[in-house]
């Protein structure tokens, strides 16, 4: 029986049987075709079964070191000269099923009990065509279960790694005379466990092995959420082939990639970080515990740039006229969900005064900084770690590149390019060593559904951050930079604990941004208090408008991190399209961390945070890992009866606003910047009350110049007014040049326009809905709620123009508002 889930209602299944077998490395070899909107090619998986393997003996280690001292260079490994049949010449003799596309457009409501038993999903595979027991009991064949969806799998085969010249070094035999399954698996075991300092040689061997001929097709079956592979007679994970090649195609409607046009109307494609992550891009193990490395060769027309999660600044290699190849690799094991790719006619943006490489500065460490950098042994699995590299630890600004459509060149030069160095430097001053060696920044198309997304070595930013002054661009940049530590280098072991990523990034964006602006402590405190005020208002709105079950930061409670016997699990509310528009995990997480920092003092708290980063980088964590270490490192007099249990109860496992936060907000005096806004609001209320025709001249109000966050707060206060006259709204627009402000300010301005039916400014609303799609969903709701025929017509007109390009989840939510 196939598992059919309603994406508008159900939890997201993670089907991979990671308790039995793990992917250690992926090698992707892909072609991007914009005419058919398909990515196709092969992926080779190098696997390790559940047994522990000993480290390599000294002879192999010596061989590795001697090899890596030779011509092991960054970039594409040397070709292995192994004949490989082209993917398009294969025709599978087996029947294969295209993956079912889940139903769309149904009402976004959770299932009755809001939960699904892990065993139910994990055991669903047992009813597939090739029925088996992944627990290796009895005499049935072992099945490798991979997460995938919206893919066409064409063929699966075992890879004959023993055919690669020189592979005898990974065996005890000087010559490979008799090749068996056990010998091939032994080669892979030795290869995946090479020491970290052999990483160049390891990548070369992975590349050569991935091109090796096949040695037998494997049986496979598919359903809506998984690919199941078996080999007749292989009854355990140990017996199962440890190197397999999958021939597959993506589908244009696949939910892991978005095919669209950029701001210059050129075709492009990018991964969307959607609820299903990368399973519609390649078959993989999605559970975060499946930490792997990867390398990828991607071919596209020569006019396109390929950007990807990779440690190297890739450059194109011309294969033939009109076609280029790009190669990227990663040596730090990370979940497959962090893999990102973008292909388009991007242009690299540069400041005319300096290059990005000039900004990759290094300096000696001060004694106070040296105490938390490259000290002691790392706790993660072995890989070439920057935290153990003194040169990397001193690198305030990692090398970076910025890409965007050429039409955005001016905007990138005016704001973004000038902000990256101080923001990177600020992050380094707070947390220390940058976890990743480089950064690509891409301005994604207008349909991108959020203001930003961070992935290893690459960051997507919305075009909405480029307008107005530098404030929104700087804060969003700082937020995504913070994810390098919290979300990527340190990941959540259970995806329901999103606050471990988003709460930290939201809290740290304020700290980084204050340091990037070089504010004195008083100014920094004032700005951070103002942002806390704005977030408090947002949190109250979220609590009023969202279902209680979606307000909980640790919904699985004691079962957080638990999986079935096979390693399969589910993500609560993972397929609910409304969830991506909610900010509860950002806001409650932020207020919890702010509460802890105030309780313990910034110096104590951030000193601990640096220690925590050094201890847990390269690993996955649960809430208790952070909270237990925090309380153990805080002096008892500062803990004041805080415990992991009462933090769970007050902050993480309850809906609504945490009681400690309610008490804090009641007791906290309004900050100076917020009081200044109050005074300006009073002036505007007086202006609004004045009669249209005045008999005698009244002294004109003089309005103060406001910061962007103050403008947001001002407009939010004015939204609380029952009526504002067109004259007042026109004066507001003129006084603050609202057309030219950043997207956060213009969003509130559009809300005022809609609320008060200010028809002269409807063009501003239309512009916002088309150019700022990452923030426009809420406005559609406001336009429809008004029940004003002209506003509803405006909403439907804008949706008709953008729906074909709009992000799928956004379009689904908006369509339900409009129709």
């Amino acid at each position: 029986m196939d598992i059919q889930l309603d994406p508008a209602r159900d939890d997201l299944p993670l089907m991979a049987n990671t308790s039995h077998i793990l992917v250690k490395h992926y090698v992707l070899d892909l072609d991007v075709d914009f005419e058919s909107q398909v990515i196709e090619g092969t992926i080779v998986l190098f696997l390790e079964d559940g047994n522990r393997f000993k480290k390599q003996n000294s002879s192999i280690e010596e061989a590795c070191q001697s090899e890596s001292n030779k011509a092991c260079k960054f970039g594409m490994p040397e070709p292995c000269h192994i004949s490989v049949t082209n993917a398009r010449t294969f025709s599978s003799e087996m029947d294969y099923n295209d993956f079912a596309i889940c139903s769309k457009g149904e009402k976004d409501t959770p299932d009755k009990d809001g939960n699904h038993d892990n065993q139910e999903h994990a055991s669903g595979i047992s009813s597939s065509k090739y029925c088996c027991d992944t627990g290796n009991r009895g005499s049935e064949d072992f099945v490798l279960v991979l997460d995938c969806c919206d893919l066409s799998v064409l063929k699966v085969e075992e890879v004959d790694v023993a055919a690669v010249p020189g592979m005898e070094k990974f065996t005890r035999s000087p010559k490979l005379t008799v090749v068996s399954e056990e010998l091939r698996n032994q080669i892979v075991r030795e290869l995946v466990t090479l020491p970290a300092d052999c990483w160049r040689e390891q990548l070369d061997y992975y590349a050569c092995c991935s091109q090796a001929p096949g040695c037998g097709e494997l049986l496979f079956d598919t359903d809506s959420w998984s690919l199941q592979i078996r080999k007749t007679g292989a009854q355990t994970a140990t017996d199962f082939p440890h190197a397999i090649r999958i021939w597959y195609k993506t589908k244009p409607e696949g939910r892991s990639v978005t095919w669209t046009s950029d701001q210059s109307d050129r075709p492009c494609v990018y991964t969307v970080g959607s609820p299903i992550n990368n399973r519609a891009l390649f078959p993989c193990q999605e559970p975060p515990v499946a930490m792997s490395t990867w390398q990828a060769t991607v071919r596209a027309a020569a006019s396109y740039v390929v950007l990807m999660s990779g440690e190297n600044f890739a450059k194109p290699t011309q294969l033939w006229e009109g076609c280029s190849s790009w190669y990227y690799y990663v040596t730090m094991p990370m979940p497959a969900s962090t893999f990102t790719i973008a292909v388009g006619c991007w242009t690299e943006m540069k400041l005319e005064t300096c290059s990005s490489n000039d900004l990759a500065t290094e300096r000696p460490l001060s004694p106070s900084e040296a105490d938390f950098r490259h000290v002691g042994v790392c706790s993660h699995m072995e890989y070439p770690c920057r935290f153990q590299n003194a040169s990397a630890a001193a690198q305030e600004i990692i090398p970076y590149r910025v890409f965007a459509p050429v039409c955005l060149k001016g905007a990138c030069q005016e704001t973004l390019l000038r902000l990256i160095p101080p923001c990177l430097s600020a992050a380094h001053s707070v947390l220390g060593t940058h976890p990743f060696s480089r950064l690509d920044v891409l301005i994604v198309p207008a349909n991108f559904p959020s203001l930003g997304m961070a992935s290893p070595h690459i960051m997507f930013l919305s075009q909405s951050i480029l307008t107005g002054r530098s404030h929104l661009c700087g804060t969003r940049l700082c937020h995504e930079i913070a994810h390098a530590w919290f979300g990527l280098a340190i990941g959540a072991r259970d995806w329901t604990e999103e606050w471990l990523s988003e709460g930290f990034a939201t809290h740290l964006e304020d700290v980084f941004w204050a340091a990037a602006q070089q504010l004195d402590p008083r100014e920094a405190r004032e700005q951070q208090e103002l942002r806390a005020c704005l977030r408090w208002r947002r949190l109250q709105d979220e609590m009023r408008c969202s279902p209680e079950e979606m307000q909980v930061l640790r919904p699985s409670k004691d079962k957080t991190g638990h999986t079935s016997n096979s390693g399969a699990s589910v993500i609560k509310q993972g397929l609910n399209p409304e969830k991506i528009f909610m900010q509860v995990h950002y806001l409650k997480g932020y207020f919890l961390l702010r509460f802890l920092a105030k309780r313990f003092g910034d110096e104590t708290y951030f000193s601990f945070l640096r220690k925590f980063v050094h201890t847990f980088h390269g690993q996955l964590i649960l809430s208790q890992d952070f909270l237990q270490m925090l309380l153990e490192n805080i002096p008892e007099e500062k803990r004041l009866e805080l415990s992991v249990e009462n933090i769970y109860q007050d902050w993480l496992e309850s809906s609504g606003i945490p009681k400690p936060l309610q008490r804090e907000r009641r007791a906290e005096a309004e900050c100076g910047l917020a009081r200044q806004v109050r005074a300006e609001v009073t002036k505007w209320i007086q202006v609004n009350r004045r009669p249209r025709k005045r008999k005698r001249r009244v002294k004109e109000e003089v309005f103060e110049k406001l910061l962007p966050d103050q403008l947001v707060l001002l407009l939010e206060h004015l939204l609380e007014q029952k009526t504002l006259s067109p004259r007042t709204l026109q004066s507001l627009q003129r006084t603050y040049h609202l057309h030219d402000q950043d997207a956060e300010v213009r969003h509130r301005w559009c809300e005022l326009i809609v609320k008060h039916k200010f028809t002269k400014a409807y063009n501003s609303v239309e512009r916002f809905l088309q150019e700022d799609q990452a923030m426009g969903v809420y406005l559609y709701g406001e336009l429809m709620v008004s029940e004003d025929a002209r506003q509803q017509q405006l909403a439907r007109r804008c949706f008709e123009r953008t729906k074909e390009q709009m992000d799928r989840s956004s379009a689904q939510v908006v369509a339900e508002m409009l129709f």
Side-chain angles (χ1 to χ4, degrees), residues 516-546:
Q517 296 175 92
Q518 299 181 333
L519 300 179
D520 65 49
R522 185 193 62 79
E523 283 182 296
R525 187 168 56 253
E526 277 285 303
Q527 287 196 15
Q528 289 169 18
E529 289 296 330
L530 178 63
R531 290 177 72 74
C533 173
L534 286 168
R535 291 185 181 123
W536 168 244
R537 296 170 64 88
R538 235 163 272 166
L539 180 61
Q540 289 175 300
D541 287 341
E542 288 267 316
M543 296 301 105
R544 283 191 292 266
C545 302
S546 59

Side-chain angles (χ1 to χ4, degrees), residues 506-521:
T506 304
H507 188 232
L508 286 168
E509 77 175 64
D510 292 356
V511 180
F512 290 177
W513 182 230
Q517 296 175 92
Q518 299 181 333
L519 300 179
D520 65 49

Side-chain angles (χ1 to χ4, degrees), residues 441-496:
V441 179
L442 173 65
I443 302 299
V444 280
N447 68 343
F448 189 67
S450 70
L451 289 180
M453 185 179 82
S455 300
H457 315 101
I458 184 170
M459 177 192 300
F460 291 171
L461 292 176
S462 166
Q463 65 178 25
S464 295
I465 69 157
L466 297 177
T467 56
R469 287 177 271 173
S470 62
H471 177 74
L472 180 59
C473 185
T475 53
R476 178 48 55 168
L477 188 58
C478 286
H479 183 100
E480 303 307 335
I481 288 171
H483 277 313
W485 287 267
F486 291 96
L488 297 175
I490 302 173
R493 186 149 59 88
D494 187 315
W495 282 339
T496 61

Side-chain angles (χ1 to χ4, degrees), residues 327-353:
Y327 171 74
Y328 288 91
Y329 62 83
V330 160
T331 62
M332 175 183 173
M334 282 174 290
S337 59
T338 63
F339 180 99
T340 301
I341 187 170
V343 185
C345 299
W346 327 120
T347 300
E348 184 176 357
M349 305 294 171
K350 294 181 179 179
L351 280 175
E352 297 174 1
T353 52

